[in-house]
Amino acid sequence: MDNNNELKDESVEPLNQSKHITGNVIVAGKGEGEVIATDVPLSFWGGYNSETGDIIDHHHPLYGENLTGKVFVLPGGRGSCTGSMVLLQAIYSNNSPGAIILKQIDEIISLGAIVADEIFKMKLPIIALNEPDFALAQKASYIKVNEYGKVFINH
Amino acid sequence: MSNIKLSEWDKRLLEGKEGKAKQIAMQIIVRMAEVQKAKQLIDISQAHIDGCIYTGEASLKFAETLANLKGEVSVPTTLNSISVDQQRWEKQGVDPTFAELANQLAQAYVEMGAKPSFTCSPYQLPDKPKFGEHIAWAESNAVVFANSVIGARTNRYPDFMDICAALTGRAPLSGYHLDEERLGDVLVDLPKLDHVDDSFFPVLGYLVGGKVESQVPVVHGLNYKPTHDDLKAFGAAGATSGAVGMFHIVEVTPEAPTVEEALGHKPPKEHWKVTMEELQNTWRELNTANDQKIDLIAFGNPHFSISECWKLADICRGKRKHPDVNVLITTSRYVYEEARKQGLTDEVERFGATFITDTCWCMIERPVIPEHTQTIMTNSAKYAHYAPGLVDCNVYFGSIEDCVRTAISGKPQVSEPKWLQRNNDT
């Protein structure tokens, strides 16, 4: 992660020095964290452990990384339809990423967060960005999403 | 709040006039419809539920919430493989607490009126959908088979959405329900290939899925008539390395009589000429093991079909597996019963193999996979992909025949298939 000297207290105030963008808000909510980004889609089922937050897909470039509390920037999902349940379980047990930023709308990833919201009243923000904004998010070191779906990006 | 045109029935459900369970289901459907930018909902004629896989407390809470609210399905609904073999879990040494939770989850869906079909290959059941029918199926391999091989219309319904569609009989009009979304995006030209066997289609599917991600591929230049088992393996692999929900194979699948029709008489977004090198690399990528022994042969991901039972019985007739190798086959109770009536299960069991029903490799853990197991061989690209992460094993991938030869010798009999050899190259 790049050091960012302009950021003194990144967790409390909005990231004033940062660029803010808006996207397609799939699930609204507040979330922030260090960015973990990839170009390769992920199947949450069979690719991610909801109890530890680790990526367990041996064929994924982020194999072994932990997503808990981070802002996960990925183009979309692949693989199993059960991804929604695995993500719900992660939200339910407070192990999920802090926010998810997508390039394409992904029904399977989205629905896990929608059900968490509808049934358990727990919010994991999910925002889909257009291609240039997604590219910015991928290069960010820290991202904050506010309750209106604004995405504050810091490099 | 939304731009979706709702029918009187949809509104009744949203207002809770058909009960709380259907109201929750309709709320979730409308939210998804908004995400998908659908303009209206449509009737679906059947549903297949994948949400019966136990993934933790939340999955059970969700299902029990709907079942306790007296939710009842509105259309014929089948259930996917579950996390235990209901008839054999005790003998297999499965933890009773886990089995109890897995059974409770299945039971919640059965209470809502779903059939205990317990299979990830619902297209092998007698009541499979017909060409053009709108359905709501979950389970990635079932979705891609229904769309591509049967010509029924379903999106890659996520777990949870499947039961919501089943409870209401409705789904957003979007994605593969629409004519234009079913057209091919990427034209995939194959090199000239000879000696194609059953290991070719999973490899090709895995390669294609990784490349096209969620686009629709149109496979062209196949000089071989694939079976339904080949198409199952192709689709399952493409829905693993990518998010393939629909494919065309020219002159094979029903919406691809010609390249032009598969592409909707438009130029493809991308034209990809597959090389032998790409196929070779994919085959190598699926073979992650480098061991001198094999502990387990895994057949039936997705669930073994009756024709695969025939093939396996033919290959292993009169032979016996090595005592150190376990051979396990997962299938549905329906296929198992058909295979039993045809004498196939006897033949396969004489070889030393064991059938498991209800559950499938994606859910199977230790001790059903024996504790000492380090190396697995499978004919499934899907399982070759997931097994290292799911059960921490090294995997060899090969044809059914290579798997049987390996089971007999106890040592990996893995050689580059004939169709991959260089003299094939053009």
Side-chain angles (χ1 to χ4, degrees), chain A residues 2 16 19 23 32 35 45 47 50-51 53 61 71 74 82 100 112 119-120 125 128 132 137 140-142:
Chain A
D2 295 331
N16 293 327
K19 182 179 163 58
E32 64 184 285
V35 169
W45 179 87
S50 64
E51 301 303 320
V71 174
L74 82 167
T82 310
I100 292 180
I119 307 272
F120 301 117
S141 60
Y142 196 91

Side-chain angles (χ1 to χ4, degrees), chain B residues 397-415:
Chain B
F397 164 83
S399 65
I400 293 186
E401 206 160 350
D402 278 356
C403 288
V404 170
R405 289 196 303 130
T406 299
I408 293 167
S409 73
K411 295 198 166 58
Q413 306 289 313
V414 186
S415 50

Side-chain angles (χ1 to χ4, degrees), chain B residues 295-403:
Chain B
D295 304 305
L296 172 69
I297 310 282
F299 288 125
N301 181 343
H303 269 171
F304 236 37
S305 69
I306 194 76
S307 45
E308 285 174 312
C309 291
W310 270 107
K311 183 169 188 167
L312 181 61
D314 276 346
I315 297 173
C316 57
R317 183 162 294 119
K319 302 181 181 115
R320 181 80 198 165
K321 73 164 182 76
H322 192 280
D324 295 342
V325 181
N326 287 292
V327 181
L328 299 177
I329 305 142
T330 55
T331 189
S332 63
R333 290 188 203 184
Y334 172 77
V335 166
Y336 179 82
E337 194 47 31
E338 289 298 305
R340 194 190 58 77
K341 283 190 225 152
Q342 296 175 34
L344 305 173
T345 54
D346 279 353
E347 193 68 63
V348 169
E349 281 162 358
R350 264 197 297 276
F351 173 70
T354 307
F355 280 92
I356 295 174
T357 63
D358 306 352
T359 186
C360 190
W361 291 105
C362 291
M363 283 74 88
I364 291 178
E365 293 176 7
R366 294 163 208 267
V368 180
I369 290 176
E371 295 293 351
H372 68 275
T373 305
Q374 290 172 334
T375 312
I376 297 178
M377 184 165 180
T378 180
N379 68 326
S380 162
K382 179 173 179 175
Y383 195 52
H385 175 95
Y386 285 123
L390 288 177
V391 292
D392 198 19
C393 284
N394 304 317
V395 180
Y396 282 111
F397 164 83
S399 65
I400 293 186
E401 206 160 350
D402 278 356
C403 288

Side-chain angles (χ1 to χ4, degrees), chain B residues 3-17:
Chain B
N3 302 318
I4 300 155
K5 206 174 136 228
L6 297 172
S7 70
E8 288 310 309
W9 171 249
D10 298 334
K11 288 179 197 159
R12 262 189 81 75
L13 296 182
L14 264 187
E15 285 159 12
K17 292 190 176 138

Side-chain angles (χ1 to χ4, degrees), chain A residues 34-51:
Chain A
E34 253 178 61
V35 169
I36 182 157
T38 177
D39 275 335
V40 180
L42 178 73
S43 175
F44 274 79
W45 179 87
Y48 167 78
N49 183 331
S50 64
E51 301 303 320

